[in-house]
Amino acid sequence: VGTFDRPGNDVWYSWSVYHQNYKFLNGGVSPIHGQFKTMNTGHQYAFFMVEPRGMVISMDEFEKVRPEVLIPANQLSNQWHDIRVHAKWSTGADGVFRVWVNGVLKVNRRGPNMKDADPVAFRFGIYAPQINRAGAGRPTQVVYYDELMRGGTCQSVSQFMACGGNTDGASSNVFQTTDLNNYVNKYGDLLAAYNANPGGQSKATWGKRHYCD
């Protein structure tokens, strides 16, 4: 969206997408409809593509295509879908990459999500190289994008989704203290950061701030 991010940046992105009468392409072609790609080295850290299951995400420099289906094939066409991404860009274990679709958390990934310090940016649109692989007679693809946003907090990009931090996408913004304690305890880097500087906060309060902001 015109701004590049580097290791250490903790950023939120959102956009809405509408596939008009989507027709799947023959020959196993999975067109890319958006990606996080570096400026110079061409690393495709995450790209959103459509395959027979529907829209999925590939962490191309890491585990490749992930098992989660962001938008099922039978729900893809002729309706708006709201997507939100929270990325803490990092070459280390403290990296975060989470994706919500229509308010439901679909991907919750921790660990490295960059290979080097080359800046990364979100790019969107239907990418012609994949489409062209489908050959002559391929159907026309029409995709609309709207409300592309980038910000430093969930609230700054979430005009269509609540920012409760809940992992199941429910509308409730209420956290259970036990869940937040467990969240901090689960990840060694978070626990070490809290123990080093709790800032006078309980573990649950500290964990909620880290998870939601």
Side-chain angles (χ1 to χ4, degrees):
V1 290
T3 302
F4 289 94
D5 288 302
R6 294 170 171 79
N9 287 17
D10 197 325
V11 194
W12 294 78
Y13 313 83
S14 69
W15 65 95
S16 299
V17 62
Y18 183 101
H19 296 80
Q20 181 175 297
N21 300 320
Y22 190 84
K23 293 182 174 58
F24 292 90
L25 301 179
N26 295 325
V29 175
S30 299
I32 297 171
H33 288 229
Q35 62 180 311
F36 288 92
K37 186 176 181 180
T38 57
M39 182 176 181
N40 300 305
T41 58
H43 292 313
Q44 294 174 298
Y45 290 134
F47 58 79
F48 297 79
M49 63 186 192
V50 176
E51 59 163 43
R53 292 182 296 160
M55 180 177 282
V56 299
I57 189 168
S58 176
M59 307 296 290
D60 199 45
E61 299 291 333
F62 299 94
E63 65 267 29
K64 305 297 183 184
V65 179
R66 292 184 59 90
E68 302 93 344
V69 177
L70 304 183
I71 306 172
N74 63 0
Q75 299 174 22
L76 195 64
S77 288
N78 302 323
Q79 57 182 308
W80 283 101
H81 295 282
D82 302 318
I83 299 174
R84 181 174 69 203
V85 173
H86 174 211
K88 181 179 180 183
W89 296 108
S90 176
T91 58
D94 63 337
V96 173
F97 196 87
R98 296 185 290 170
V99 181
W100 288 260
V101 178
N102 300 327
V104 178
L105 184 69
K106 295 297 186 89
V107 176
N108 191 3
R109 181 186 186 277
R110 292 184 62 88
N113 50 33
M114 299 186 81
K115 289 289 188 180
D116 50 43
D118 194 19
V120 63
F122 177 66
R123 308 177 185 194
F124 68 98
I126 306 173
Y127 282 75
Q130 283 290 88
I131 298 293
N132 293 341
R133 286 182 52 221
R138 58 189 176 274
T140 299
Q141 303 242 322
V142 180
V143 182
Y144 297 96
Y145 296 83
D146 196 13
E147 301 292 344
L148 279 88
M149 303 185 74
R150 173 189 177 278
T153 66
C154 177
Q155 288 80 4
S156 68
V157 303
S158 297
Q159 64 273 47
F160 301 124
M161 286 180 259
C163 288
N166 47 305
T167 57
D168 62 2
S171 60
S172 172
N173 288 337
V174 178
F175 274 93
Q176 297 296 323
T177 297
T178 301
D179 293 338
L180 289 163
N181 284 333
N182 290 340
Y183 168 67
V184 176
N185 291 335
K186 181 178 179 180
Y187 300 105
D189 55 327
L190 294 186
L191 184 59
Y194 172 77
N195 289 336
N197 185 19
Q201 298 176 320
S202 69
K203 188 180 292 183
T205 300
W206 189 93
K208 182 176 181 180
R209 179 182 59 80
H210 180 276
Y211 194 84
C212 298
D213 292 346

